[in-house]
Amino acid sequence: MDDKLKLAGQAYGKGFTCSQAVFCAYASDMGIDETTACRIMEGFGGGFGGMQEVCGALAAATAIISFYSSEGTPGNGEKRKKVYEKVCRAAEIFQKEYGGITCWEVLHGESPKAFQCGMKVKDTVLIINQILAECPKEKRTEQEMEAW
């Protein structure tokens, strides 16, 4: 876990958005190179393109939790329900900590600015790790286990 916190903090410190910093901390474990990960996640910063909607860090958490929890196949809804439950649990923890899940709520109506969300990046990594730790171990690959 310390590795993920360090990677996310370093990325955020370089000027990446909250969404990029969180997602890139897990990218190599998901088989995605850092440049591709950062390109994918840039538009989620500032609450979806700066619109102050869902926090970019939480959007990244959703992608990461989905990656590790989903089987990536269509189904009868039961599998999807389990992924949704984990995402909702992450959002619930985030909301309790920050009073909402949108940038607007989290930043108390202020516009997003560079380097103002470092703590949210850190806390989101902690939330991801908490949710992933709740995943059944038999569903994790050996590489995923080592990454945590």
Side-chain angles (χ1 to χ4, degrees):
M1 175 177 14
D2 291 338
D3 185 44
K4 301 294 183 240
L5 288 170
K6 183 178 178 181
L7 289 170
Q10 287 172 341
Y12 193 72
K14 288 179 188 175
F16 286 108
T17 66
C18 57
S19 57
Q20 290 171 310
V22 171
F23 192 78
C24 287
Y26 294 83
S28 68
D29 295 339
M30 294 186 290
I32 304 169
D33 68 88
E34 184 177 336
T35 300
T36 301
C38 287
R39 290 176 68 195
I40 290 168
M41 295 309 294
E42 187 163 6
F44 292 92
F48 284 69
M51 295 186 296
Q52 294 191 288
E53 295 296 334
V54 174
C55 169
L58 187 58
T62 299
I64 294 161
I65 291 165
S66 293
F67 178 86
Y68 285 108
S69 303
S70 173
E71 293 179 6
T73 59
N76 61 9
E78 285 303 311
K79 295 174 191 173
R80 185 172 296 132
K81 181 180 174 186
K82 291 180 184 200
V83 174
Y84 286 5
E85 286 171 358
K86 291 174 185 171
V87 169
C88 289
R89 175 85 174 110
E92 177 186 308
I93 296 167
F94 189 91
Q95 185 170 22
K96 282 183 182 175
E97 182 68 28
Y98 290 104
I101 64 168
T102 68
C103 257
W104 180 258
E105 295 164 326
V106 169
L107 298 178
H108 309 288
E110 292 181 29
S111 295
K113 295 174 190 70
F115 305 113
Q116 82 185 117
C117 294
M119 195 56 133
K120 291 163 197 71
V121 167
K122 174 189 169 250
D123 288 342
T124 302
V125 169
L126 294 173
I127 292 168
I128 292 165
N129 288 332
Q130 177 181 339
I131 299 300
L132 294 181
E134 297 169 2
C135 291
K137 291 182 181 175
E138 64 275 3
K139 295 195 91 176
R140 297 187 215 153
T141 67
E142 193 171 311
Q143 182 182 4
E144 291 168 345
M145 293 288 286
E146 289 174 13
W148 296 335

